[in-house]
């Protein structure tokens, strides 16, 4: 991370990494996603969520240790970080698959989802990498958060949680396709309803907000209740197998 990126992550609780995915990766990922939408007979659904993406093919397994992102995870989580869980959100219009409400925040303290700064270094619990496969422009909704809330000493006011009418302190983050938003889960965040401008993508979701989430933890902690078995995938690299290890202290 650069000095500026460290400053912004500590200040805001998130940073944007542009060109985290190549155009070739985006095309391959979209093709697989479209196949899954057809397979599940959901081509006209306004919102979809799929979990456990590694079985969908090598393009998704390549994201385990995506080279533009891995150095950030190493600094934020330590060299022994692990992939905790993954999923994808597809939103054609309106609220996301799990609604539009703020969650997370520095208070109350969560031992799985935390942010601390000690001895000149950042320490994080569950940390998210959100890859956007399409442009998300200003005013269209998408990822929203209260910058700096990962260090808050008070819980977010209940009256501000509903993102159907976001409070003015909520900031949306416009990004270009292929960008990744890296954020600590201690940040108060959520999905601002997506505002569709076109209606020509019933089959391919070309203008949807399609976001792939890979969420990582320090090696000694876990948030999800399930783990991947690396032995189920024959094409993993040694580093990918390490990142899929179950939580615990290694000797």
């Amino acid at each position: 991370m650069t000095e500026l990126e460290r400053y912004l992550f500590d200040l805001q609780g998130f940073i944007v990494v542009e060109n985290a995915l190549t155009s070739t990766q985006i095309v391959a990922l979209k093709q697989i996603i479209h196949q899954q939408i057809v397979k599940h007979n959901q081509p006209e659904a306004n919102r979809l969520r799929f979990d456990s993406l590694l079985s969908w093919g090598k393009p998704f397994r390549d994201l385990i240790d995506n080279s533009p992102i891995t150095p950030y995870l190493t600094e934020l989580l330590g060299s022994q970080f692990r992939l905790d869980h993954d999923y994808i959100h597809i939103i054609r219009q309106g609220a996301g698959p799990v609604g539009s409400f703020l969650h997370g925040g520095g208070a109350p303290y969560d031992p799985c989802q935390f942010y601390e700064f000690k001895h000149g270094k950042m320490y994080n619990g569950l940390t998210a990498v959100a890859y956007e496969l399409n442009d998300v422009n200003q005013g269209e909704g998408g990822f929203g958060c209260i910058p700096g809330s990962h260090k808050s000493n008070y819980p977010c006011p209940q009256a501000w949680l509903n993102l159907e009418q976001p409070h003015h302190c909520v900031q949306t983050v416009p990004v270009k396709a292929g960008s990744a938003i890296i954020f600590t889960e201690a940040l108060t965040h959520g999905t601002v309803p997506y505002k569709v401008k076109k209606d020509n993508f019933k089959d391919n979701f070309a203008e949807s907000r399609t976001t792939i989430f890979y969420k990582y933890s320090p090696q000694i902690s876990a948030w999800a209740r399930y783990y991947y078995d690396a032995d189920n995938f024959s094409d993993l690299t040694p580093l990918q197998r390490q990142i899929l290890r179950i939580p615990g202290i290694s000797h």
Side-chain angles (χ1 to χ4, degrees):
M1 296 178 73
T2 66
E3 181 180 4
L4 175 59
E5 289 170 330
R6 292 188 192 96
Y7 176 79
L8 288 176
F9 193 92
D10 178 64
L11 177 70
Q12 303 178 142
F14 74 91
I15 55 172
V16 175
V17 179
E18 295 184 345
N19 301 313
L21 298 175
T22 66
S23 58
T24 301
Q25 284 179 296
I26 293 173
V27 170
L29 292 165
K30 283 185 173 182
Q31 183 177 20
I32 296 172
I33 293 166
H34 178 60
Q35 293 169 352
Q36 291 294 323
I37 292 171
V38 172
K39 177 181 177 181
H40 289 85
N41 195 27
Q42 296 286 339
E44 296 186 14
N46 278 339
R47 57 193 67 88
L48 291 167
R49 170 171 170 148
F50 297 105
D51 297 273
S52 303
L53 307 177
L54 299 190
S55 62
W56 283 15
K58 191 174 185 300
F60 283 90
R61 293 192 287 276
D62 286 343
L63 296 184
I64 296 172
D65 59 342
N66 189 23
S67 56
I69 298 300
T70 299
Y72 293 93
L73 297 173
T74 299
E75 180 150 350
L76 295 171
L77 295 167
S79 61
Q80 299 299 310
F81 65 87
R82 53 177 295 273
L83 178 64
D84 189 88
H85 63 286
D86 56 17
Y87 57 91
I88 184 171
H89 278 179
I90 302 169
I91 310 172
R92 289 183 64 220
Q93 186 173 16
V98 293
S100 292
F101 292 90
L102 289 170
H103 52 280
Y109 179 81
D110 184 336
C112 291
Q113 305 175 92
F114 65 87
Y115 176 85
E116 295 180 352
F117 188 91
K118 294 182 178 180
H119 311 297
K121 184 179 178 180
M122 294 181 284
Y123 293 88
N124 290 273
L126 189 65
T127 299
V129 181
Y131 295 101
E132 297 289 357
L133 299 191
N134 295 317
D135 293 347
V136 180
N137 301 308
Q138 187 67 49
E140 292 182 349
F143 178 79
C145 66
I146 302 178
S149 53
H150 60 306
K151 297 188 285 187
S152 174
N153 295 305
Y154 296 96
C156 182
Q158 289 289 317
W160 296 0
L161 298 183
N162 192 333
L163 289 173
E164 295 288 345
Q165 294 182 325
H167 189 271
H168 63 78
C169 68
V170 175
Q171 175 182 326
T172 56
V173 183
V175 294
K176 294 294 184 181
S179 298
I181 304 171
I182 304 177
F183 61 95
T184 169
E185 284 285 342
L187 179 71
T188 299
H189 65 281
T191 302
V192 176
Y194 185 67
K195 298 180 180 179
V196 177
K197 294 183 178 180
K198 300 179 182 179
D199 191 24
N200 61 352
F201 48 88
K202 288 186 177 180
D203 292 327
N204 60 17
F205 281 74
E207 300 296 332
S208 67
R209 184 198 175 213
T210 303
T211 311
I212 298 172
F213 292 90
Y214 277 53
K215 300 197 173 185
Y216 299 84
S217 291
Q219 177 59 37
I220 61 172
S221 71
W223 185 90
R225 298 177 181 176
Y226 67 88
Y227 312 123
Y228 277 113
D229 184 348
D231 291 336
N232 289 335
F233 308 106
S234 61
D235 57 353
L236 297 180
T237 67
L239 177 57
Q240 290 170 345
R241 295 183 69 87
Q242 173 184 306
I243 295 172
L244 292 185
R245 286 186 303 176
I246 63 173
I249 297 176
S250 300
H251 296 283

